[in-house]
Amino acid sequence: MNESGTTAVPQKVRPESKTPKAEVVIETRNLTKIYRDFWGREKVRALKALDLEVHRGEVFGLLGPNGSGKTTTIKLLLGLLFPTSGNAYVLGMDATDVDKNARIGYLPEESYLYKFLNAEETLDFYGRLFNMPAAARRTRIEELIRLVGVDWARRRQLKEYSKGMTRRIGLAQALINDPELVLLDEPTSGLDPLGTRAMKDLILRLRDEGKTIVMCSHLLADVQDVCDRIAILHQGELKELGRVDELLRMQDVTQLRARGLSREAVDDLRAVVAKHGGELMGIENPTTTLEELFLTIVQDSEARPGRRLHGG
Amino acid sequence: MVVEHDIPNYLLWLPGNLLIFLLVACAVGFVGILIGYVAAAVRHGLVEGFYVTAGVIADSVTDVARTSPARMLTIARLTIKESFRRRVLVTFIVFAACMLFAGWFLDVKSEHPARLYLSFVLIATTYSVLALAVLLSTASLPNDIKSRVMYTIVTKPVRSTEIVAGRVLGFTAVGTMLLVGMCVASYVFVVTGVHHTHQIDAETTAYLNKLKQPSSQQERKLLIDANVPDEELPRTSTNSFHAHRIRVDDDGNVYLDSALDHTHRVEEKGEGDDRTYRIGRPTGSLQARLPHYGKLSFLDRAGRPTNKGINVGNEWTYRTYLEGGSLAGAVWSFDGVTESKYPDGLPLELTLSVFRTYKGDIEKGVLGTIVVRNPNPDKAAQSAPIPFAAQEFTVQKLLVQRRLQVTGRDGRLEDVDLFEKLVDDGRVEVIIQCADRNQYFGMAQADVYLSTGSGSFTWNFVKGYIGIWLQMFMVMCFGVVVSTFLSHGVALLANFLILVIGFLRTFIVDMALGMIQGGGFVESGIRLFTQQRAGVEFEKNVASNVIYGFDWVVANALYVVSWLLPDFTAFDNSAYVASGYNISPHLLAAQSTVAVGFFLVLAVAGYFLLKTREIAA
């Protein structure tokens, strides 16, 4: 507990971004998507003038409540939707360019796979779509089946798989081409705690291998655990963008952590802390949880639409 | 009969039709680009819309150039696997069951059993395969989009060309496998169905042995004479609901009369009174006649050359008619008639239509004459008329002997050799006239030809199935294309309508051109319910104008659509196979070319429709 009674959340040490001028892997400029009805009338303005940059080697999280535009953003980046206005570039190519797909992997929100295929056939099919040579394909399939832990069920049709197992095969298909950029839509959805942990470890491992990961999730703890930077969307607008550790820093609360103070000063502090039965560790700005930040932004946004809380 | 339209030479057919294809393809392409531009302009504005449209067209060049056959085959493999795991083989099982129980509904006493069996299997195959093609081809893409599996496909480096062509290829492979199975099963069904034999009993065997003795020459002649009373002729045993009359020729060889479109070879064993006769398997029922067609021109009732005969009214307009008892005639000019090809004379086969203005003796055929003429005017030689009685509803065989009588310069008849006097450099003319006054012969190009024997029935059977395969291929192309932009149910309905309009194309064209009595949809409906005669026009008023106007719009809209769709009946070769005619390679080549043309246009359309579709919308 700190002075104001707020719990100080222990922070994982994240590596600093590779370089301030890291290569931009994803860039959106004024990206807007409006869904229209059959007669061309505006139905929903799903995304409003999104400006975003994702750099090589980072884990980037898209956060937002239902209908905030995060899945629309992912779909626009994949070319599954066409922008109403603005542009989206992925790996330096237009988002609708098929050639970019050779270097990306995509795990959809749910594992949309052919249920009549088994695990091996599924991965073989997607491997063939990348024109992978047969030997390389076989090796990669073996690696991935072991990686996602479905070795024991590799010959069973996917219709017999549980949701968690299907998610694992979905992840395997997203990685079949050893992609530079991985887009994960709700990656831990449907996974048990062990599977969730494994997925998060895998994301960090991919990041360590130099891959760029863009994920969107409702599970804020997951995002907090793995993401370097996040963007928070609400009602199609970008509300927050920045490094997770910076965004979570609480400006109105002081946490004291000190070294080298004089004995008298330390004694005074100790006396104060001891009076309350604790140990003085330092004086600094503690962080809140991502969940709290997220809820605050959403509530504030609903109260005052159109206003951005902080600079990106 | 079977060939009721001209079969042009493929190389002559190709240029004109290629031009029409290019014009229609360009028109469709232009309309497609225009629609695309309008859609882009609505979304992005006039200028930006232009660039978007141009960008899509430019991308298409890259996409086509960089289409990967390997990815296309991957999609095709998936389609095959998907189809078989969706139990597509049920179609084959239903088909096989139909054949197993065919005896319940096929007329086993038919006059033309081979034709009946062949028609049955070909029609059953056509309906089964086309139904399967409609259902199968429209299901895959909409289901992939609905189930969102498409998300994981289009986010791989897969181009729309590969998806469309891969799907078509896969479905075609599935259809082909089923069709091969049906073809083999049908072939076995037909061959075993027509197979039978007969026996000659001991009494008839003794009688035949007696006839073969040299002393029985006169009696043998009587047996050959067509006027011998039926009951006096020896017969085989009755099997498969028929028996054959037995005859013995001048040389003492035993042969059987044709019955139910076939005869049998008779093998003899032993000598003298111990000689026995064994009847072999049927011949002539399963054949692929190879007609040598000539060019047809006409003579009017005064004997002057004209380009067609007369119209006898509301008759099948394919044929024109020759007035009996006049100089009207149909002149067939044959090329390439050589002695080595036809050593015994001209083996003519006729499928004449007879139009009777009075009933006469219905058992006797209407009389006609055949004249063989040298086409070289300098030689001016023609045979004396050879009389014959026309046999309707069947293929009539007439052999014009090599020795013919020709009127000499002195007016006397002299015996000449066909190839010496009447054939000029391989060319010969055959003139057919109707001899009975007030009766008419109907003639068309393919009605008279020289028989050059029979080709392989098996290969002809396969060619019949190739026609079905082409129909299936086009239905699958249409199915895949409509499913790129429609949901499953709507795509299914659209593909079914395409099939129906394709089969009714001739009717629709006739209706749009006002050649169908009774008017269009609304007019004919009103006439049906109010029981008004088709020949009486509606009273002129606003309501009738609206009705006529509506029907005009619908008929012409259908007319335009019918130009964009294939005439599926033009791919139906079943009548050739069933009636025992070889399917011309020219016809098959033309049909294949049309199918390839449709595939190309549909592949392009499917590519643009899928590429410009928001998969996740």
Side-chain angles (χ1 to χ4, degrees):
Chain A
M1 294 290 275
N2 57 26
E3 288 169 325
S4 64
T6 311
T7 307
V9 180
Q11 291 299 293
K12 274 193 168 185
V13 178
R14 291 192 181 80
E16 293 298 317
S17 70
K18 306 289 174 186
T19 57
K21 291 185 180 176
E23 183 191 343
V24 174
V25 172
I26 290 176
E27 184 181 4
T28 66
R29 288 187 205 147
N30 204 27
L31 189 64
T32 303
K33 180 64 188 176
I34 300 170
Y35 290 109
R36 298 180 189 278
D37 66 9
F38 179 79
W39 305 105
R41 292 173 302 192
E42 184 174 323
K43 212 163 59 173
V44 181
R45 192 173 279 261
L47 200 61
K48 298 169 191 169
L50 179 68
D51 290 316
L52 203 64
E53 282 186 357
V54 177
H55 302 119
R56 182 172 292 280
E58 70 178 350
V59 181
F60 189 90
L62 278 172
L63 285 178
N66 291 337
S68 62
K70 56 186 191 304
T71 299
T72 297
T73 307
I74 293 267
K75 286 176 178 172
L76 285 163
L77 293 174
L78 288 163
L80 292 170
L81 290 173
F82 305 144
T84 306
S85 64
N87 300 96
Y89 300 99
V90 178
L91 296 165
M93 290 175 261
D94 191 272
T96 56
D97 192 334
V98 174
D99 290 332
K100 75 172 191 314
N101 294 348
R103 296 158 61 192
I104 68 173
Y106 168 54
L107 173 68
E109 196 173 351
E110 285 177 38
S111 291
Y112 306 128
L113 302 167
Y114 289 108
K115 305 288 184 203
F116 59 85
L117 298 178
N118 64 35
E120 278 184 4
E121 289 170 334
T122 300
L123 297 183
D124 184 65
F125 168 68
Y126 288 107
R128 283 171 186 272
L129 293 182
F130 285 96
N131 278 346
M132 290 170 69
R137 203 167 60 234
R138 275 196 297 274
T139 310
R140 188 69 179 150
I141 290 169
E142 285 302 320
E143 280 172 17
L144 289 170
I145 281 185
R146 290 209 178 91
L147 177 74
V148 299
V150 290
D151 199 17
W152 57 279
R154 60 199 295 157
R155 296 275 163 79
R156 277 166 57 181
Q157 288 188 347
L158 298 194
K159 65 183 173 190
E160 298 170 12
Y161 271 33
S162 68
K163 192 178 176 188
M165 287 165 71
T166 318
R167 290 296 287 165
R168 290 158 191 255
I169 289 299
L171 177 67
Q173 68 78 28
L175 301 176
I176 188 80
N177 58 326
D178 194 16
E180 293 172 40
L181 168 65
V182 187
L183 294 125
L184 306 170
D185 197 352
E186 304 287 351
T188 55
S189 152
L191 294 179
D192 57 23
L194 283 176
T196 303
R197 183 69 261 165
M199 175 67 84
K200 288 197 279 193
D201 288 345
L202 181 67
I203 291 170
L204 293 173
R205 194 176 117 188
L206 292 172
R207 194 263 317 270
D208 293 343
E209 288 172 9
K211 301 184 193 311
T212 312
I213 293 127
V214 175
M215 59 180 280
C216 63
S217 176
H218 291 102
L219 302 173
L220 306 177
D222 294 347
V223 174
Q224 188 175 0
D225 284 349
V226 296
C227 287
D228 300 318
R229 288 202 306 142
I230 56 167
I232 298 180
L233 298 172
H234 186 236
Q235 294 175 343
E237 289 179 340
L238 179 67
K239 295 293 179 185
E240 195 59 271
L241 174 69
R243 291 193 58 76
V244 175
D245 47 4
E246 287 167 4
L247 290 173
L248 297 184
R249 198 171 299 281
M250 298 173 72
Q251 302 297 332
D252 56 343
V253 177
T254 303
Q255 184 176 6
L256 183 67
R257 288 169 66 90
R259 264 199 192 103
L261 289 178
S262 67
R263 181 175 293 273
E264 292 76 20
V266 172
D267 287 345
D268 288 346
L269 288 170
R270 277 218 181 97
V272 173
V273 174
K275 185 181 165 191
H276 295 283
E279 182 187 354
L280 183 68
M281 296 294 296
I283 299 172
E284 61 182 20
N285 298 119
T287 54
T288 181
T289 62
L290 179 59
E291 191 168 5
E292 281 172 359
L293 173 73
F294 175 78
L295 291 173
T296 308
I297 289 172
V298 170
Q299 284 161 4
D300 192 78
S301 173
E302 280 173 353
R304 284 170 286 182
R307 179 178 160 270
R308 186 164 171 179
L309 300 184
H310 307 286
Chain B
M1 272 307 290
V2 55
V3 185
E4 293 194 327
H5 51 83
D6 297 344
I7 301 169
N9 184 297
Y10 176 68
L11 294 176
L12 298 175
W13 171 89
L14 187 62
N17 285 278
L18 193 61
L19 184 67
I20 293 172
F21 168 75
L22 290 174
L23 288 173
V24 174
C26 286
V28 170
F30 177 75
V31 171
I33 291 170
L34 196 66
I35 292 171
Y37 171 67
V38 169
V42 167
R43 178 182 281 191
H44 303 285
L46 290 175
V47 178
E48 185 63 20
F50 173 79
Y51 287 114
V52 168
T53 311
V56 169
I57 294 168
D59 282 353
S60 69
V61 178
T62 318
D63 278 350
V64 170
R66 299 180 70 177
T67 292
S68 157
R71 270 196 290 269
M72 212 161 71
L73 287 176
T74 299
I75 304 275
R77 272 168 50 106
L78 176 89
T79 308
I80 294 168
K81 211 173 272 186
E82 185 181 27
S83 302
F84 280 103
R85 290 190 183 168
R86 279 183 178 164
R87 296 179 176 83
V88 76
L89 281 175
V90 169
T91 312
F92 183 76
I93 294 165
V94 170
F95 177 79
C98 274
M99 283 204 292
L100 283 174
F101 298 104
W104 289 2
F105 48 86
L106 286 181
D107 177 13
V108 290
K109 295 179 182 176
S110 166
E111 288 286 306
H112 309 286
R115 190 188 299 178
L116 181 73
Y117 289 147
L118 285 165
S119 299
F120 165 68
V121 294
L122 288 163
I123 289 169
T125 306
T126 304
Y127 287 149
S128 309
V129 168
L130 291 187
L132 177 78
V134 168
L135 292 171
L136 205 59
S137 60
T138 49
S140 62
L141 285 178
N143 284 343
D144 280 1
I145 292 168
K146 192 178 175 188
S147 68
R148 300 181 185 179
V149 179
M150 192 58 101
Y151 288 12
T152 55
I153 308 278
V154 295
T155 51
K156 304 288 182 285
V158 182
R159 295 170 196 282
S160 301
T161 43
E162 291 155 1
I163 295 175
V164 172
R167 284 290 180 183
V168 170
L169 196 65
F171 287 130
T172 306
V174 172
T176 305
M177 285 181 235
L178 284 176
L179 206 51
V180 167
M182 288 178 179
C183 182
V184 171
S186 302
Y187 185 80
V188 171
F189 174 80
V190 170
V191 170
T192 53
V194 299
H195 180 75
H196 66 278
T197 186
H198 300 269
Q199 289 78 41
I200 297 175
D201 61 26
E203 190 184 340
T204 310
T205 301
Y207 175 63
L208 291 172
N209 287 340
K210 184 182 155 215
L211 280 176
K212 285 175 78 75
Q213 290 170 7
S215 56
S216 305
Q217 190 179 12
Q218 193 57 36
E219 209 171 340
R220 286 206 299 269
K221 275 190 176 173
L222 281 174
L223 272 183
I224 298 168
D225 188 347
N227 292 326
V228 173
D230 209 36
E231 60 275 11
E232 290 181 18
L233 288 168
R235 288 171 179 277
T236 65
S237 63
T238 298
N239 295 80
S240 296
F241 306 101
H242 71 283
H244 293 267
R245 288 174 296 205
I246 307 172
R247 295 181 192 265
V248 184
D249 68 12
D250 269 351
D251 301 327
N253 298 317
V254 177
Y255 67 96
L256 304 183
D257 267 2
S258 181
L260 306 190
D261 292 339
H262 73 277
T263 180
H264 299 259
R265 284 212 179 116
V266 181
E267 287 176 23
E268 297 178 14
K269 274 188 181 175
E271 289 292 325
D273 290 345
D274 295 332
R275 186 183 281 117
T276 56
Y277 303 90
R278 184 177 162 276
I279 295 174
R281 62 184 189 179
T283 58
S285 56
L286 301 177
Q287 57 180 331
R289 296 183 190 90
L290 291 163
H292 174 174
Y293 289 110
K295 284 182 184 164
L296 174 62
S297 60
F298 287 89
L299 302 173
D300 68 12
R301 67 190 317 277
R304 290 173 303 221
T306 178
N307 59 352
K308 60 179 181 179
I310 60 171
N311 190 343
V312 293
N314 193 16
E315 276 291 305
W316 175 227
T317 52
Y318 164 68
R319 291 189 171 87
T320 54
Y321 285 76
L322 308 176
E323 185 180 345
S326 74
L327 293 176
V331 184
W332 269 271
S333 306
F334 294 101
D335 289 331
V337 178
T338 59
E339 195 175 349
S340 58
K341 218 168 173 179
Y342 304 104
D344 300 327
L346 298 179
L348 285 175
E349 291 194 350
L350 293 72
T351 50
L352 298 183
S353 161
V354 177
F355 179 75
R356 294 167 186 261
T357 56
Y358 61 93
K359 188 175 171 186
D361 184 354
I362 203 72
E363 291 295 322
K364 276 182 68 179
V366 173
L367 295 178
T369 60
I370 294 173
V371 170
V372 182
R373 187 169 76 179
N374 191 319
N376 188 340
D378 296 337
K379 296 187 180 169
Q382 67 175 46
S383 73
I386 305 163
F388 72 98
Q391 295 170 3
E392 298 171 66
F393 316 115
T394 186
V395 179
Q396 184 173 7
K397 295 181 181 180
L398 291 168
L399 179 66
V400 176
Q401 303 285 348
R402 282 195 58 166
R403 301 303 300 177
L404 291 171
Q405 288 195 317
V406 170
T407 310
R409 291 175 189 236
D410 55 357
R412 293 169 60 185
L413 290 174
E414 54 183 78
D415 271 4
V416 296
D417 182 79
L418 170 75
F419 289 100
E420 281 177 15
K421 282 282 181 187
L422 300 171
V423 177
D424 182 69
D425 195 23
R427 294 179 304 133
V428 67
E429 288 180 348
V430 173
I431 304 167
I432 295 182
Q433 291 174 303
C434 179
D436 276 351
R437 191 173 292 279
N438 295 329
Q439 306 286 44
Y440 296 80
F441 279 169
M443 298 283 177
Q445 171 74 33
D447 283 349
V448 175
Y449 55 85
L450 296 171
S451 171
T452 59
S454 180
S456 160
F457 166 75
T458 306
W459 173 228
N460 205 42
F461 189 75
V462 171
K463 284 193 279 187
Y465 270 78
I466 291 174
I468 300 173
W469 185 89
L470 291 171
Q471 290 176 314
M472 176 199 76
F473 175 64
M474 284 189 296
V475 171
M476 285 178 165
C477 287
F478 274 104
V480 170
V481 170
V482 295
S483 66
T484 57
F485 67 102
L486 296 174
S487 64
H488 180 204
V490 183
L492 186 70
L493 185 64
N495 204 17
F496 179 70
L497 283 176
I498 286 167
L499 188 64
V500 170
I501 293 174
F503 269 110
L504 297 177
R505 186 174 179 274
T506 311
F507 172 78
I508 289 168
V509 170
D510 287 349
M511 187 175 67
L513 297 176
M515 292 165 70
I516 302 288
Q517 280 198 332
F521 289 103
V522 181
E523 184 186 343
S524 56
I526 290 171
R527 287 185 192 281
L528 198 66
F529 284 108
T530 57
Q531 298 187 350
Q532 290 185 50
R533 284 192 297 140
V536 181
E537 286 211 0
F538 288 153
E539 193 181 329
K540 291 272 181 198
N541 54 33
V542 176
S544 65
N545 284 338
V546 170
I547 290 165
Y548 287 137
F550 181 82
D551 281 347
W552 185 89
V553 169
V554 171
N556 283 282
L558 281 172
Y559 179 71
V560 172
V561 171
S562 73
W563 272 98
L564 302 176
L565 302 179
D567 179 359
F568 284 107
T569 56
F571 293 83
D572 181 9
N573 295 333
S574 58
Y576 289 95
V577 182
S579 301
Y581 282 92
N582 181 56
I583 298 167
S584 162
H586 292 278
L587 177 66
L588 214 55
Q591 291 172 338
S592 305
T593 306
V594 171
V596 169
F598 271 99
F599 167 71
L600 291 175
V601 171
L602 290 170
V604 171
Y607 162 77
F608 280 110
L609 289 166
L610 192 59
K611 187 177 173 64
T612 54
R613 176 172 181 173
E614 285 188 304
I615 297 298

